[in-house]
Amino acid sequence: MQRPEAWPRPHLGVGAAAVQAGGPEPPAGAGEPTGPRLQEPSLYTIKAVFILDNDGHRLLAKYYDDTFPSMKEQVAFEKNVFNKTNRTDSEIAFFGGMTIVYKSSIDLFLYVVGSSHENELMLMSVLTCLFESLVHVLSSSWPRGGSGAASAFRKNVEKRWLLENMDGAFLVLDEIVDGGFFSLPRNKLNGHY
């Protein structure tokens, strides 16, 4: 990367630099592209994260923008998403102008929502990180023992364990997503906890 003082500077006879120097103003529309405009880049990559039970009821939800400002709109959106996704085996859905990645685990459905222009792989990495972190954090409170159902659930998240450890679940979510940004430190992305 170049140092800021090495970046190209505008010539005094052109554009805004000419106006500042007392020169003529450029004609309207000069210097602007004539083709279709690209959407402004945004760092807000995640619109919402929510976890529903197998009946479509909200267990945990966080929204990071004003797409659904009221609780009523959020619950209606979650119900519509659940109705569209609960009987399919895919992992990605496009609904209401948004990209939704999801995963089911025993009696839960985990969802990560982004804009329609968002990279599905990035959203999927957030979902995978959320799921694996929940398994890791919640497994510390699961019953010990090498046999039976308890050891089978250690690779999944279950509604009962989520409800009993909701504070840990919110902590995991807040560590992974910070105001709509995927904020996991680099060493955690490489699998080093």
Side-chain angles (χ1 to χ4, degrees), residues 45 99 101 115-125:
T45 56
T99 303
V101 295
S115 73
S116 61
H117 304 290
E118 195 54 62
N119 184 337
E120 296 88 0
L121 294 175
M122 195 284 304
L123 293 175
M124 188 56 79
S125 67

Side-chain angles (χ1 to χ4, degrees), residues 66-101:
D66 297 348
T67 305
F68 302 101
S70 72
M71 176 77 89
K72 184 178 180 181
E73 291 173 327
Q74 292 173 4
V75 170
F77 172 70
E78 292 165 10
K79 198 63 150 173
N80 288 336
V81 168
F82 178 77
N83 289 337
K84 182 174 179 164
T85 61
N86 72 335
R87 292 186 183 96
T88 63
D89 290 330
S90 63
E91 298 174 331
I92 299 174
F94 297 98
F95 183 77
M98 287 174 261
T99 303
I100 303 165
V101 295

Side-chain angles (χ1 to χ4, degrees), residues 5 11 16 25 35 38 49 65 89 105 111 120-121 123 157:
E5 61 268 11
H11 187 272
E25 241 181 88
L38 297 175
V49 175
D65 68 0
D89 290 330
S105 173
Y111 296 91
E120 296 88 0
L121 294 175
L123 293 175
V157 181

Side-chain angles (χ1 to χ4, degrees), residues 1 10 21 54 66 103 112 124 127 130 153 171:
M1 178 191 270
N54 57 353
D66 297 348
K103 178 181 186 75
V112 175
M124 188 56 79
L127 180 64
L130 174 65
F153 291 133
L171 178 64

Side-chain angles (χ1 to χ4, degrees), residues 105-108 131 134-135 138 142 156-159 162:
S105 173
I106 303 176
D107 54 358
L108 297 177
F131 179 77
L134 286 173
V135 168
L138 298 178
W142 290 352
N156 287 305
V157 181
E158 188 178 2
K159 178 180 177 179
L162 182 70

